[in-house]
Amino acid sequence: MRGPGPAAPGPEQEVLRNYSETETEGEIFNSLVQYFGDNLGQKAMPLVEETSLLEDSAVTLPVVIIGNGPSGICLSYMLSGYRPYLSSEAIHPNTILHSKLEEARHLSIVDQDLEYLSEGLEGRSSNPVAVLFDTLLHPDADFGYDYPSVLHWKLEQHHYIPHLVLGKGPPGGAWHNMEGSMLTISFGNWMELPGLKFKDWVTSKRRNLKGDRVMPEEIARYYKHYVKVMGLQQNFRENTYITSVSRLYRDQDDNDNQDKAISRKHLQIEKSKLIKRNWEIRGYQRIADGSHVPFCLFAENVALATGTLDSPAHLEIEGENFPFVFHSMPEFGAAVNKGKLRGKVDPVLIVGSGLTAADAVLCAYNNNIPVIHVFRRRVTDPSLIFKQLPKKLYPEYHKVYHMMCTQSYSADSTLLSDYTSFPEHHVLSFKSDMRCILQSVSGLKKIFKLSAAVVLIGSHPNLSFLKEQGCYLGHNSSQPVTCKSNPVEIDVYTYECVKEANLFALGPLVGDNFVRFLKGGALGVTRCLAVRQKKKQHLFVERGGGDGIA
């Protein structure tokens, strides 16, 4: 099979088959893992049957990335050998940063000290490498400037690190499932990935870019095209669902004391056992006829790039599972588009004060569906997202915020015909007769008849394939991982999980919700793996040979 595009690791290569039952089954999987040729020094690992002995598959992939959204795509791009350098004529507006960049102009950013470069920088991410990479790609963007990137990219194939990117759908992840009627919160150029300007892509497709903000389906198409034009397809596998990611050769006492000290000699012995197979990844691939075909992979490193949109957050109250209660914008949008709520006298209850809840308000309002809007915060709360958005750029959201402030419910009034807000309220319960009970901060209760309810209070990542549902990776291991309140705890320069070696996390899992910041995670992971690869190669040369993957 020929690896398409410039990032292909070698010439036409044979594909290893590990299935013997039917030709169809073999055809399904002979594309899942290819040989990686000279980059590995030996054959790459094929998928193995669920019934096969694990020992039958001796070769381990250096990296498996779980999630094929922008985080996974950007990481694949950099692992494929693309390297960012300071452009010859570029001058960064931050003079201190520019002087640091000049000190090692001949080196790619991947080969430089990220902690040194990011020192003193400030931005809208808590991860310093994310802020660093963003300011290199979009200098002074938060001050309203549209300066060009100070970086240019080179493909250096000798830096290629073999990897697979596993995703449930096409490249682009959750962007393919977002409601199509809403504009993105970010500018189009903030959504772009390295090496392909979004505006250039739009022009090439002969589409008119009417404004700086774009529809989610445009972004989804851009990400899918990006993988193709950058020659990354060979690394991507669609329709794959992960059921288990587990450690191999875990020390018996590891669960009892993960931070135990290990002597230098003992550590060397342990490394010889662990380095080949750190992780076992099991799952299935859904094929054309809808059936599921299981697979098993081994990897030295796993990168979690799943995003956080898998599991909508619930209120955890009585009646929340009734069929008239929705928990996602696509669900609600589909009900509206099918006319299920048309002509209803009773209002729709919308719970939440974020942008997704605002999207639901706009959807209902524009379809002449009356709205009851419930949220816990005061309308003057400075942390409300609306206060961070310029009115000229986001007029529709400020329209919602204006209604939140001016059309609120009072004890001596009735519901307004189109929209009524209930600040500092929460839902106590839903009833089978489609009624809900609301309670104010002072304890007063109100009952309303509804046509539907939409609970949009955030979402959680689905990390069910990890032990303890992945909770142990968060800053607070007793709570589920969430983007805002309990992200995965990482080394902020390598993005390696603090509580699990050789496991990395990036994107929303570590608090970077915006595409412009999640690209820093790809830089941090690539830098870490490149440094480790050099150390392995150095040891390999010192020892005068080896037995496969170092």
Side-chain angles (χ1 to χ4, degrees):
M1 180 179 295
R2 188 180 300 275
E12 186 168 312
Q13 299 164 341
E14 181 189 6
V15 175
L16 182 64
R17 299 186 179 187
N18 206 53
Y19 280 79
S20 58
E21 294 182 13
T22 66
E23 180 65 14
T24 302
E25 199 170 41
E27 288 172 352
I28 293 166
F29 278 109
N30 65 17
S31 67
L32 192 63
V33 181
Q34 303 175 2
Y35 288 136
F36 289 97
D38 295 337
N39 294 282
L40 278 177
Q42 66 177 63
K43 300 172 183 177
M45 196 209 73
L47 286 174
V48 298
E49 291 179 287
E50 189 72 18
T51 55
S52 298
L53 294 174
L54 297 182
E55 287 74 20
D56 290 343
S57 200
V59 183
T60 300
L61 289 166
V63 185
V64 168
I65 302 168
I66 300 175
N68 65 354
S71 295
I73 295 172
C74 192
L75 180 54
S76 176
Y77 176 76
M78 299 190 73
L79 294 181
S80 294
Y82 287 94
R83 290 291 184 267
Y85 287 84
L86 181 66
S87 297
S88 57
E89 298 178 0
I91 300 178
H92 196 281
N94 183 320
T95 55
I96 296 176
L97 175 59
H98 186 76
S99 65
K100 291 180 180 180
L101 294 168
E102 285 285 4
E103 293 171 9
R105 176 181 281 275
H106 62 290
L107 294 177
S108 80
I109 303 300
V110 173
D111 296 314
Q112 297 187 41
D113 185 340
L114 301 183
E115 183 174 0
Y116 172 64
L117 291 178
S118 58
E119 184 181 8
L121 297 178
E122 295 181 354
R124 290 195 291 158
S125 170
S126 59
N127 296 312
V129 177
V131 176
L132 166 66
F133 209 28
D134 177 66
T135 195
L136 295 176
L137 294 168
H138 306 288
D140 282 356
D142 286 332
F143 297 105
Y145 296 106
D146 189 21
Y147 293 138
S149 169
V150 298
L151 301 177
H152 73 280
W153 293 82
K154 295 180 182 179
L155 175 58
E156 300 176 346
Q157 293 191 349
H158 60 283
H159 287 312
Y160 178 82
I161 298 177
H163 61 281
L164 279 181
V165 185
L166 305 179
K168 296 175 182 177
W175 285 94
H176 291 278
N177 303 321
M178 292 186 183
E179 181 66 23
S181 62
M182 303 299 171
L183 294 169
T184 61
I185 186 66
S186 296
F187 300 136
N189 64 328
W190 287 0
M191 313 297 289
E192 67 192 21
L193 298 179
L196 179 63
K197 289 185 177 297
F198 181 77
K199 288 183 179 179
D200 292 346
W201 174 78
V202 169
T203 303
S204 71
K205 295 298 177 184
R206 298 181 180 178
R207 294 189 175 96
N208 293 322
L209 195 61
K210 295 179 180 179
D212 288 323
R213 293 168 61 206
V214 293
M215 296 291 188
E217 60 264 31
E218 285 287 296
I219 298 297
R221 283 194 286 266
Y222 164 80
Y223 290 146
K224 188 174 181 180
H225 178 77
Y226 181 92
V227 169
K228 181 179 180 181
V229 76
M230 293 301 174
L232 308 178
Q233 304 105 307
Q234 63 172 15
N235 304 316
F236 281 73
R237 300 298 177 263
E238 301 177 17
N239 302 313
T240 57
Y241 296 78
I242 309 303
T243 56
S244 170
V245 175
S246 56
R247 275 281 192 191
L248 294 175
Y249 305 122
R250 182 181 291 278
D251 193 290
Q252 292 181 354
D253 298 324
D254 191 46
N255 289 330
D256 298 327
N257 187 2
Q258 291 189 354
D259 299 321
K260 65 179 181 179
I262 304 176
S263 69
R264 195 174 190 85
K265 182 177 180 180
H266 179 64
L267 183 61
Q268 291 173 347
I269 296 172
E270 287 300 307
K271 279 185 177 179
S272 68
K273 290 194 299 182
L274 288 172
I275 200 66
K276 286 291 183 69
R277 290 184 177 184
N278 287 337
W279 297 101
E280 174 194 272
I281 302 103
R282 287 184 177 270
Y284 61 87
Q285 185 179 35
R286 191 177 62 198
I287 57 176
D289 64 3
S291 61
H292 297 170
V293 184
F295 65 81
C296 177
L297 296 170
F298 298 109
E300 290 181 28
N301 303 280
V302 170
L304 302 174
T306 60
T308 60
L309 296 178
D310 289 312
S311 303
H314 283 56
L315 297 168
E316 306 296 343
I317 60 173
E318 176 192 345
E320 194 171 4
N321 292 325
F322 285 131
F324 66 87
V325 182
F326 303 113
H327 288 87
S328 74
M329 187 60 201
E331 277 184 313
F332 177 58
V336 172
N337 292 336
K338 291 177 182 177
K340 293 182 178 181
L341 303 175
R342 189 175 296 125
K344 298 285 187 180
V345 176
D346 297 322
V348 166
L349 171 70
I350 296 173
V351 184
S353 59
L355 296 179
T356 308
D359 285 341
V361 169
L362 290 168
C363 179
Y365 187 88
N366 294 335
N367 284 276
N368 298 314
I369 300 170
V371 172
I372 292 176
H373 188 190
V374 175
F375 45 96
R376 290 178 176 270
R377 298 182 184 182
R378 294 174 288 109
V379 292
T380 55
D381 189 324
S383 64
L384 282 174
I385 185 65
F386 308 100
K387 291 183 172 293
Q388 303 172 34
L389 304 177
K391 290 183 179 180
K392 289 184 178 180
L393 294 176
Y394 305 96
E396 76 281 24
Y397 289 131
H398 278 278
K399 176 182 178 180
V400 173
Y401 181 55
H402 179 74
M403 291 193 298
M404 290 166 64
C405 295
T406 61
Q407 296 182 219
S408 58
Y409 182 84
S410 61
D412 56 352
S413 67
T414 58
L415 293 180
L416 301 174
S417 60
D418 54 356
Y419 172 95
T420 308
S421 69
F422 286 78
E424 298 183 90
H425 280 70
H426 65 277
V427 184
L428 278 182
S429 64
F430 296 104
K431 301 301 180 182
S432 58
D433 61 357
M434 299 183 72
R435 295 179 187 273
C436 72
I437 302 176
L438 306 183
Q439 186 175 40
S440 69
V441 68
S442 62
L444 292 176
K445 297 178 182 178
K446 306 171 186 65
I447 300 175
F448 295 100
K449 183 78 164 61
L450 309 174
S451 61
V454 196
V455 178
L456 299 169
I457 55 173
S459 58
H460 303 306
N462 180 3
L463 299 177
S464 60
F465 49 81
L466 292 169
K467 71 173 186 176
E468 300 177 18
Q469 310 288 305
C471 291
Y472 77 106
L473 297 175
H475 284 263
N476 182 350
S477 59
S478 65
Q479 298 293 323
V481 169
T482 61
C483 174
K484 292 182 179 179
S485 60
N486 191 34
V488 172
E489 187 177 8
I490 56 167
D491 179 304
V492 294
Y493 298 104
T494 67
Y495 286 75
E496 187 172 28
C497 295
V498 170
K499 297 165 185 172
E500 194 74 89
N502 303 105
L503 182 65
F504 298 82
L506 62 163
L509 288 175
V510 298
D512 287 329
N513 264 333
F514 293 105
V515 173
R516 55 182 284 208
F517 292 114
L518 60 78
K519 290 172 277 193
L523 173 62
V525 174
T526 302
R527 159 78 177 160
C528 177
L529 294 176
V531 168
R532 291 180 183 178
Q533 189 179 56
K534 284 183 180 179
K535 290 180 179 178
K536 291 178 187 177
Q537 291 171 346
H538 182 68
L539 288 173
F540 184 85
V541 171
E542 279 187 344
R543 293 170 181 171
D547 58 352
I549 303 175

